[in-house]
Amino acid sequence: MRKPLIAGNWKMYKTPKESLAFLDKFLPMVQDHERDEIVLFPTMSSLGYVLDATVGTNVKAGAQTMHWMNEGPYTGQTSPTMLASIHCTHVLLGHSERRIYAHETDDMVNWKLKAAIAHALTPIVCVGETLDKRQTGLTEAVLRWQVACALNGVEREGSEDLIIAYEPVWAIGTGSTASPTQVQEAHRIIRQQVSDRLGPDRAETTRILYGGSVKPENVALLMAQPDIDGALVGAGSLDPETFCRIIMYTGPKG
Ligand code: PEP
């Protein structure tokens, strides 16, 4: 019912030339892969090239962030209208690196989510606790709070494409993955919060991805959990062979 989605977040890596070199190898490797949806998130300077190169393939591309306004005096920003105009389909919102380094607040994530919905962009809203919050027993409170803030004023109608990524801050780029049991529990809490806000039927269809040091070696065990509907992969998505091995995991959903 929930088609698994494996996404690659390229962060601030790869020039347009390097992005196209990746696709030259990657697209033939995954061209017959139908089980999972595949989405790449290149840098803004590569996005147009990647969108052009993936037309007619089973790989989609999205932006790593966007502003919530359509246009205006916001130097350095890209608007939802602009993304939609280049046929960009997906957008990452509230990634922890944006929250930490660009000071994105829960309110901003909420405004961006509403803008993404208004422009028919598929949003992947990132939430996740810091190590400190986990160690002090606040994981559930943080996740419930972040999801509630993101969904504030979002209607059930129109939220059909909502995707949430659970990305514990302590697992991103650190090599230490959360255990399948920890992730399953976090996803259960997130799904419950979506249910409380948007209703049980919307919670049932909302895909919840896990992100945080996903590798070819751990993806199958994670994907075996009932509430894990895919992965958001950083470092493991930069090399075409490695990312392909992650996508082609075998297991209960494989
Ligand atoms: C990410 O950037 O969303 C991420 C999960 O990174 P990594 O896989 O490198 O931990």
Side-chain angles (χ1 to χ4, degrees):
M1 188 174 172
R2 299 189 295 264
K3 183 167 177 150
L5 189 158
I6 312 288
N9 174 16
W10 286 354
K11 311 192 186 208
M12 201 172 71
Y13 294 99
K14 295 192 192 297
T15 62
K17 197 173 165 195
E18 289 163 345
S19 303
L20 294 177
F22 174 100
L23 291 176
D24 277 348
K25 289 190 182 165
F26 180 70
L27 291 177
M29 286 184 210
V30 297
Q31 65 181 356
D32 297 323
H33 190 81
E34 289 172 0
R35 179 191 60 193
D36 310 276
E37 208 175 316
I38 304 169
V39 188
L40 293 170
F41 290 92
T43 63
M44 214 56 98
S45 59
S46 290
L47 180 58
Y49 294 92
V50 173
L51 284 166
D52 282 351
T54 51
V55 168
T57 74
N58 57 339
V59 175
K60 295 176 189 146
Q64 295 177 12
T65 185
M66 67 172 195
H67 201 274
W68 58 90
M69 303 283 282
N70 285 340
E71 60 181 10
Y74 303 105
T75 303
Q77 300 281 3
T78 308
S79 78
T81 325
M82 291 162 188
L83 292 180
S85 76
I86 58 169
H87 308 294
C88 171
T89 52
H90 290 67
V91 63
L92 284 182
L93 301 176
H95 190 283
S96 63
E97 287 156 11
R98 300 285 314 165
R99 292 181 191 254
I100 295 166
Y101 303 121
H103 310 292
E104 272 183 21
T105 63
D106 287 318
D107 278 346
M108 291 177 185
V109 176
N110 172 248
W111 302 333
K112 289 175 186 217
L113 175 57
K114 287 178 186 156
I117 290 171
H119 290 86
L121 291 162
T122 299
I124 302 185
V125 177
C126 303
V127 297
E129 80 287 1
T130 58
L131 186 58
D132 178 52
K133 294 283 190 260
R134 176 163 281 270
Q135 287 174 338
T136 47
L138 291 172
T139 300
E140 173 158 2
V142 169
L143 296 178
R144 280 194 168 269
W145 174 257
Q146 289 181 341
V147 173
C149 290
L151 297 182
N152 186 27
V154 170
E155 303 290 335
R156 205 189 140 281
E157 214 61 47
S159 63
E160 293 81 1
D161 293 332
L162 172 70
I163 298 170
I164 296 181
Y166 168 57
E167 297 214 309
V169 179
W170 49 273
I172 297 179
T174 59
S176 50
T177 320
S179 74
T181 320
Q182 285 173 318
V183 181
Q184 168 57 27
E185 175 57 11
H187 283 215
R188 190 196 58 74
I189 291 164
I190 292 168
R191 202 176 300 286
Q192 186 56 54
Q193 186 69 318
V194 174
S195 177
D196 293 349
R197 299 278 148 175
L198 299 175
D201 51 343
R202 177 68 70 245
E204 196 48 41
T205 55
T206 297
R207 287 178 289 180
I208 307 177
L209 318 182
Y210 167 71
S213 301
V214 173
K215 307 167 201 156
E217 296 75 27
N218 59 26
V219 62
L221 272 181
L222 288 161
M223 289 302 294
Q225 302 298 314
D227 282 298
I228 303 183
D229 307 313
L232 179 54
V233 186
S237 70
L238 293 173
D239 169 69
E241 279 88 10
T242 309
F243 193 38
C244 189
R245 282 174 60 212
I246 292 173
I247 291 166
M248 306 234 173
Y249 69 88
T250 51
K253 288 189 193 133

PDB file of all heavy atoms in Angstrom, residues 117-140:
ATOM      1  N   ILE A 117       2.645  22.157  -0.522  1.00  0.00           N
ATOM      2  CA  ILE A 117       1.333  21.575  -0.834  1.00  0.00           C
ATOM      3  C   ILE A 117       0.606  22.454  -1.855  1.00  0.00           C
ATOM      4  O   ILE A 117       0.041  21.962  -2.828  1.00  0.00           O
ATOM      5  CB  ILE A 117       0.495  21.391   0.461  1.00  0.00           C
ATOM      6  CG1 ILE A 117       1.120  20.274   1.315  1.00  0.00           C
ATOM      7  CG2 ILE A 117      -0.957  21.075   0.137  1.00  0.00           C
ATOM      8  CD1 ILE A 117       0.540  20.129   2.710  1.00  0.00           C
ATOM      9  N   ALA A 118       0.675  23.766  -1.650  1.00  0.00           N
ATOM     10  CA  ALA A 118      -0.017  24.686  -2.570  1.00  0.00           C
ATOM     11  C   ALA A 118       0.539  24.597  -3.986  1.00  0.00           C
ATOM     12  O   ALA A 118      -0.171  24.877  -4.953  1.00  0.00           O
ATOM     13  CB  ALA A 118       0.105  26.116  -2.050  1.00  0.00           C
ATOM     14  N   HIS A 119       1.798  24.214  -4.136  1.00  0.00           N
ATOM     15  CA  HIS A 119       2.421  24.139  -5.462  1.00  0.00           C
ATOM     16  C   HIS A 119       2.569  22.707  -5.961  1.00  0.00           C
ATOM     17  O   HIS A 119       3.316  22.445  -6.902  1.00  0.00           O
ATOM     18  CB  HIS A 119       3.781  24.843  -5.453  1.00  0.00           C
ATOM     19  CG  HIS A 119       3.646  26.328  -5.319  1.00  0.00           C
ATOM     20  ND1 HIS A 119       3.537  26.962  -4.100  1.00  0.00           N
ATOM     21  CD2 HIS A 119       3.549  27.296  -6.258  1.00  0.00           C
ATOM     22  CE1 HIS A 119       3.398  28.259  -4.297  1.00  0.00           C
ATOM     23  NE2 HIS A 119       3.397  28.494  -5.593  1.00  0.00           N
ATOM     24  N   ALA A 120       1.874  21.783  -5.307  1.00  0.00           N
ATOM     25  CA  ALA A 120       1.895  20.369  -5.708  1.00  0.00           C
ATOM     26  C   ALA A 120       3.300  19.781  -5.759  1.00  0.00           C
ATOM     27  O   ALA A 120       3.606  18.936  -6.595  1.00  0.00           O
ATOM     28  CB  ALA A 120       1.178  20.184  -7.048  1.00  0.00           C
ATOM     29  N   LEU A 121       4.163  20.261  -4.854  1.00  0.00           N
ATOM     30  CA  LEU A 121       5.482  19.644  -4.709  1.00  0.00           C
ATOM     31  C   LEU A 121       5.364  18.581  -3.611  1.00  0.00           C
ATOM     32  O   LEU A 121       4.721  18.828  -2.591  1.00  0.00           O
ATOM     33  CB  LEU A 121       6.517  20.697  -4.280  1.00  0.00           C
ATOM     34  CG  LEU A 121       6.862  21.755  -5.326  1.00  0.00           C
ATOM     35  CD1 LEU A 121       7.520  22.968  -4.655  1.00  0.00           C
ATOM     36  CD2 LEU A 121       7.799  21.178  -6.381  1.00  0.00           C
ATOM     37  N   THR A 122       5.954  17.440  -3.802  1.00  0.00           N
ATOM     38  CA  THR A 122       5.892  16.395  -2.767  1.00  0.00           C
ATOM     39  C   THR A 122       6.896  16.718  -1.664  1.00  0.00           C
ATOM     40  O   THR A 122       8.103  16.725  -1.903  1.00  0.00           O
ATOM     41  CB  THR A 122       6.213  15.008  -3.379  1.00  0.00           C
ATOM     42  OG1 THR A 122       5.244  14.735  -4.378  1.00  0.00           O
ATOM     43  CG2 THR A 122       6.179  13.927  -2.314  1.00  0.00           C
ATOM     44  N   PRO A 123       6.401  16.998  -0.458  1.00  0.00           N
ATOM     45  CA  PRO A 123       7.303  17.412   0.625  1.00  0.00           C
ATOM     46  C   PRO A 123       7.819  16.224   1.442  1.00  0.00           C
ATOM     47  O   PRO A 123       7.061  15.307   1.760  1.00  0.00           O
ATOM     48  CB  PRO A 123       6.391  18.284   1.498  1.00  0.00           C
ATOM     49  CG  PRO A 123       5.018  17.732   1.278  1.00  0.00           C
ATOM     50  CD  PRO A 123       4.981  17.036  -0.051  1.00  0.00           C
ATOM     51  N   ILE A 124       9.094  16.264   1.761  1.00  0.00           N
ATOM     52  CA  ILE A 124       9.646  15.305   2.731  1.00  0.00           C
ATOM     53  C   ILE A 124      10.075  16.131   3.939  1.00  0.00           C
ATOM     54  O   ILE A 124      11.064  16.864   3.896  1.00  0.00           O
ATOM     55  CB  ILE A 124      10.844  14.518   2.155  1.00  0.00           C
ATOM     56  CG1 ILE A 124      10.427  13.758   0.889  1.00  0.00           C
ATOM     57  CG2 ILE A 124      11.393  13.559   3.217  1.00  0.00           C
ATOM     58  CD1 ILE A 124      11.507  12.855   0.299  1.00  0.00           C
ATOM     59  N   VAL A 125       9.277  16.062   4.990  1.00  0.00           N
ATOM     60  CA  VAL A 125       9.530  16.863   6.188  1.00  0.00           C
ATOM     61  C   VAL A 125      10.436  16.063   7.130  1.00  0.00           C
ATOM     62  O   VAL A 125      10.089  14.957   7.545  1.00  0.00           O
ATOM     63  CB  VAL A 125       8.202  17.189   6.913  1.00  0.00           C
ATOM     64  CG1 VAL A 125       8.478  17.966   8.196  1.00  0.00           C
ATOM     65  CG2 VAL A 125       7.276  17.972   6.000  1.00  0.00           C
ATOM     66  N   CYS A 126      11.588  16.645   7.453  1.00  0.00           N
ATOM     67  CA  CYS A 126      12.549  15.937   8.308  1.00  0.00           C
ATOM     68  C   CYS A 126      12.362  16.330   9.776  1.00  0.00           C
ATOM     69  O   CYS A 126      12.268  17.515  10.098  1.00  0.00           O
ATOM     70  CB  CYS A 126      13.977  16.274   7.892  1.00  0.00           C
ATOM     71  SG  CYS A 126      14.323  15.895   6.165  1.00  0.00           S
ATOM     72  N   VAL A 127      12.311  15.322  10.625  1.00  0.00           N
ATOM     73  CA  VAL A 127      12.224  15.543  12.071  1.00  0.00           C
ATOM     74  C   VAL A 127      13.224  14.606  12.751  1.00  0.00           C
ATOM     75  O   VAL A 127      13.660  13.624  12.155  1.00  0.00           O
ATOM     76  CB  VAL A 127      10.795  15.259  12.611  1.00  0.00           C
ATOM     77  CG1 VAL A 127       9.780  16.215  12.014  1.00  0.00           C
ATOM     78  CG2 VAL A 127      10.376  13.808  12.348  1.00  0.00           C
ATOM     79  N   GLY A 128      13.563  14.915  13.976  1.00  0.00           N
ATOM     80  CA  GLY A 128      14.481  14.012  14.683  1.00  0.00           C
ATOM     81  C   GLY A 128      15.074  14.681  15.914  1.00  0.00           C
ATOM     82  O   GLY A 128      15.242  15.898  15.949  1.00  0.00           O
ATOM     83  N   GLU A 129      15.374  13.874  16.895  1.00  0.00           N
ATOM     84  CA  GLU A 129      15.876  14.381  18.172  1.00  0.00           C
ATOM     85  C   GLU A 129      17.403  14.425  18.198  1.00  0.00           C
ATOM     86  O   GLU A 129      18.063  13.676  17.487  1.00  0.00           O
ATOM     87  CB  GLU A 129      15.359  13.504  19.332  1.00  0.00           C
ATOM     88  CG  GLU A 129      16.103  12.191  19.563  1.00  0.00           C
ATOM     89  CD  GLU A 129      15.824  11.112  18.512  1.00  0.00           C
ATOM     90  OE1 GLU A 129      15.064  11.368  17.570  1.00  0.00           O
ATOM     91  OE2 GLU A 129      16.406  10.013  18.650  1.00  0.00           O
ATOM     92  N   THR A 130      17.952  15.283  19.034  1.00  0.00           N
ATOM     93  CA  THR A 130      19.400  15.301  19.265  1.00  0.00           C
ATOM     94  C   THR A 130      19.740  14.194  20.272  1.00  0.00           C
ATOM     95  O   THR A 130      18.851  13.643  20.932  1.00  0.00           O
ATOM     96  CB  THR A 130      19.841  16.648  19.863  1.00  0.00           C
ATOM     97  OG1 THR A 130      19.118  16.832  21.090  1.00  0.00           O
ATOM     98  CG2 THR A 130      19.571  17.808  18.920  1.00  0.00           C
ATOM     99  N   LEU A 131      21.034  13.913  20.404  1.00  0.00           N
ATOM    100  CA  LEU A 131      21.466  12.877  21.354  1.00  0.00           C
ATOM    101  C   LEU A 131      21.070  13.260  22.776  1.00  0.00           C
ATOM    102  O   LEU A 131      20.582  12.437  23.559  1.00  0.00           O
ATOM    103  CB  LEU A 131      22.993  12.703  21.247  1.00  0.00           C
ATOM    104  CG  LEU A 131      23.577  11.555  22.062  1.00  0.00           C
ATOM    105  CD1 LEU A 131      22.951  10.221  21.678  1.00  0.00           C
ATOM    106  CD2 LEU A 131      25.090  11.489  21.887  1.00  0.00           C
ATOM    107  N   ASP A 132      21.224  14.538  23.084  1.00  0.00           N
ATOM    108  CA  ASP A 132      20.892  15.038  24.408  1.00  0.00           C
ATOM    109  C   ASP A 132      19.414  14.770  24.752  1.00  0.00           C
ATOM    110  O   ASP A 132      19.078  14.306  25.830  1.00  0.00           O
ATOM    111  CB  ASP A 132      21.211  16.541  24.415  1.00  0.00           C
ATOM    112  CG  ASP A 132      20.852  17.174  25.726  1.00  0.00           C
ATOM    113  OD1 ASP A 132      21.301  16.639  26.743  1.00  0.00           O
ATOM    114  OD2 ASP A 132      20.102  18.183  25.722  1.00  0.00           O
ATOM    115  N   LYS A 133      18.553  15.046  23.795  1.00  0.00           N
ATOM    116  CA  LYS A 133      17.108  14.832  24.021  1.00  0.00           C
ATOM    117  C   LYS A 133      16.812  13.339  24.182  1.00  0.00           C
ATOM    118  O   LYS A 133      16.003  12.937  25.018  1.00  0.00           O
ATOM    119  CB  LYS A 133      16.287  15.412  22.868  1.00  0.00           C
ATOM    120  CG  LYS A 133      16.360  16.926  22.772  1.00  0.00           C
ATOM    121  CD  LYS A 133      15.480  17.586  23.819  1.00  0.00           C
ATOM    122  CE  LYS A 133      15.311  19.065  23.629  1.00  0.00           C
ATOM    123  NZ  LYS A 133      16.119  19.912  24.455  1.00  0.00           N
ATOM    124  N   ARG A 134      17.478  12.506  23.378  1.00  0.00           N
ATOM    125  CA  ARG A 134      17.259  11.053  23.521  1.00  0.00           C
ATOM    126  C   ARG A 134      17.702  10.588  24.900  1.00  0.00           C
ATOM    127  O   ARG A 134      16.999   9.858  25.587  1.00  0.00           O
ATOM    128  CB  ARG A 134      17.993  10.283  22.418  1.00  0.00           C
ATOM    129  CG  ARG A 134      17.890   8.760  22.579  1.00  0.00           C
ATOM    130  CD  ARG A 134      18.226   8.007  21.326  1.00  0.00           C
ATOM    131  NE  ARG A 134      17.134   8.000  20.363  1.00  0.00           N
ATOM    132  CZ  ARG A 134      16.170   7.087  20.310  1.00  0.00           C
ATOM    133  NH1 ARG A 134      16.133   6.093  21.185  1.00  0.00           N
ATOM    134  NH2 ARG A 134      15.218   7.145  19.393  1.00  0.00           N
ATOM    135  N   GLN A 135      18.896  11.064  25.304  1.00  0.00           N
ATOM    136  CA  GLN A 135      19.444  10.591  26.593  1.00  0.00           C
ATOM    137  C   GLN A 135      18.642  11.077  27.785  1.00  0.00           C
ATOM    138  O   GLN A 135      18.693  10.486  28.855  1.00  0.00           O
ATOM    139  CB  GLN A 135      20.916  11.006  26.708  1.00  0.00           C
ATOM    140  CG  GLN A 135      21.802  10.165  25.792  1.00  0.00           C
ATOM    141  CD  GLN A 135      23.238  10.629  25.746  1.00  0.00           C
ATOM    142  OE1 GLN A 135      23.524  11.793  26.049  1.00  0.00           O
ATOM    143  NE2 GLN A 135      24.138   9.752  25.348  1.00  0.00           N
ATOM    144  N   THR A 136      17.909  12.171  27.597  1.00  0.00           N
ATOM    145  CA  THR A 136      17.090  12.647  28.714  1.00  0.00           C
ATOM    146  C   THR A 136      15.624  12.204  28.573  1.00  0.00           C
ATOM    147  O   THR A 136      14.730  12.763  29.220  1.00  0.00           O
ATOM    148  CB  THR A 136      17.176  14.187  28.846  1.00  0.00           C
ATOM    149  OG1 THR A 136      16.996  14.766  27.547  1.00  0.00           O
ATOM    150  CG2 THR A 136      18.506  14.619  29.411  1.00  0.00           C
ATOM    151  N   GLY A 137      15.397  11.230  27.704  1.00  0.00           N
ATOM    152  CA  GLY A 137      14.064  10.621  27.601  1.00  0.00           C
ATOM    153  C   GLY A 137      13.039  11.486  26.900  1.00  0.00           C
ATOM    154  O   GLY A 137      11.831  11.312  27.114  1.00  0.00           O
ATOM    155  N   LEU A 138      13.498  12.409  26.060  1.00  0.00           N
ATOM    156  CA  LEU A 138      12.554  13.349  25.440  1.00  0.00           C
ATOM    157  C   LEU A 138      12.275  13.068  23.962  1.00  0.00           C
ATOM    158  O   LEU A 138      11.692  13.905  23.265  1.00  0.00           O
ATOM    159  CB  LEU A 138      13.080  14.783  25.603  1.00  0.00           C
ATOM    160  CG  LEU A 138      13.054  15.295  27.047  1.00  0.00           C
ATOM    161  CD1 LEU A 138      13.769  16.633  27.168  1.00  0.00           C
ATOM    162  CD2 LEU A 138      11.615  15.419  27.549  1.00  0.00           C
ATOM    163  N   THR A 139      12.694  11.888  23.478  1.00  0.00           N
ATOM    164  CA  THR A 139      12.518  11.595  22.050  1.00  0.00           C
ATOM    165  C   THR A 139      11.056  11.730  21.622  1.00  0.00           C
ATOM    166  O   THR A 139      10.745  12.407  20.638  1.00  0.00           O
ATOM    167  CB  THR A 139      13.039  10.170  21.728  1.00  0.00           C
ATOM    168  OG1 THR A 139      14.428  10.127  22.058  1.00  0.00           O
ATOM    169  CG2 THR A 139      12.866   9.835  20.263  1.00  0.00           C
ATOM    170  N   GLU A 140      10.163  11.089  22.346  1.00  0.00           N
ATOM    171  CA  GLU A 140       8.746  11.127  21.946  1.00  0.00           C
ATOM    172  C   GLU A 140       8.214  12.563  21.948  1.00  0.00           C
ATOM    173  O   GLU A 140       7.524  12.981  21.006  1.00  0.00           O
ATOM    174  CB  GLU A 140       7.896  10.238  22.867  1.00  0.00           C
ATOM    175  CG  GLU A 140       6.415  10.406  22.566  1.00  0.00           C
ATOM    176  CD  GLU A 140       5.540   9.243  23.004  1.00  0.00           C
ATOM    177  OE1 GLU A 140       6.077   8.280  23.589  1.00  0.00           O
ATOM    178  OE2 GLU A 140       4.325   9.313  22.737  1.00  0.00           O
TER     179      GLU A 140
END
